[in-house]
Amino acid sequence: MLEFLKDYAVYLVPILSSYLTYLFLRRKSTLEKYEEQAKESLHDSCGPLLFSLNRILNKTSKIDMEFAMEEFLKKYSDDPSPLIKTKNRNIIDSYNNVERHYYIYTSCKNDNTYQKLLEQLLVLKMEIQNEFDIEHKVVNNGYKWFQLAARQENYWIKSLIHFYRGFSQTVIFFTYVDLFLFYLFIVDNHTEEKFLKPFQPYFISFTVGILVTFIVVISINFSIHETEGKFSPTSKIFSILIRDSWAQKFRFFRRFKVGDTKVNNENKARKIFVRHYRDMN
């Protein structure tokens, strides 16, 4: 096995290096494309949408709110609509719900239609806020590192911060490499030849070193960056099987139908309406 590696190392190393470089460049290209799309959506869609909704919800009377909402719908219903630039289909669907409830309210003005309209408007605001936060984080990726370095007056501390950022990215990259090698050793362990067995001590040492360094780096990075973990266990299978009528009658089924995030936003919208908007004149 060792003789085989010695003979073919001159061919295997360039091939492996080229493949890893290809994966790295492809990932970088995909991230750059995503960042550009997020930047466009943030500046031309989600950002203006969020500020427009805040202006509506900050009104202190129904008349002012109705007028602001009319201007809002007129602006975002024009062709072409700025909503086209958003990548989140849920936002478009929520906007359509707001528009539909607005026309229901204008044709039959009462407390019930007003509440439904405000709840849908608040749901839309929450969904846009979530999308805005994600896109803002993507577009401003690395900002906190530069902000942290800019606060330092000492040149050497600034250099150390920039060096550490590059070091942390290198450690994360080698962690992925270690996972790939781990997979190769598992596969090799189930073969009769066990070609990689002579390298297991070196691999174990490499894995331990990478794991310890990775834990330290991730701990430092988490202390610098805010983390916003959002997870919804909603299954698409349940969404297909559960009927709309069941979801409307039973909140339990509605969570499986539309997702925890949607239901939580609706509940929050209902509470905010009761607290701030129900008694508005």
Side-chain angles (χ1 to χ4, degrees), residues 12 80 99 130 142-143 152 155 177 181 238 265-266 276:
L12 294 176
E99 188 175 36
N130 291 336
Y143 172 76
Q152 311 301 322
Y155 169 80
V177 173
L181 293 176
F238 284 109
N265 284 345
E266 290 174 346
H276 293 289

Side-chain angles (χ1 to χ4, degrees), residues 174-238:
F174 276 108
T175 302
Y176 283 110
V177 173
D178 184 67
L179 291 174
F180 176 71
L181 293 176
F182 181 71
Y183 169 76
L184 292 181
F185 273 94
I186 291 178
V187 174
D188 181 73
N189 194 48
H190 288 79
T191 62
E192 295 181 0
E193 294 81 2
K194 292 182 173 50
F195 294 118
L196 300 178
K197 189 173 182 179
F199 299 95
Q200 284 187 1
Y202 304 103
F203 173 72
I204 292 174
S205 300
F206 175 75
T207 300
V208 171
I210 284 293
L211 181 61
V212 172
T213 308
F214 177 77
I215 293 174
V216 173
V217 165
I218 289 298
S219 300
I220 296 174
N221 290 355
F222 270 114
S223 67
I224 295 175
H225 293 274
E226 295 179 356
T227 58
E228 299 178 357
K230 296 180 176 65
F231 172 76
S232 175
T234 306
S235 170
K236 290 185 178 180
I237 297 177
F238 284 109

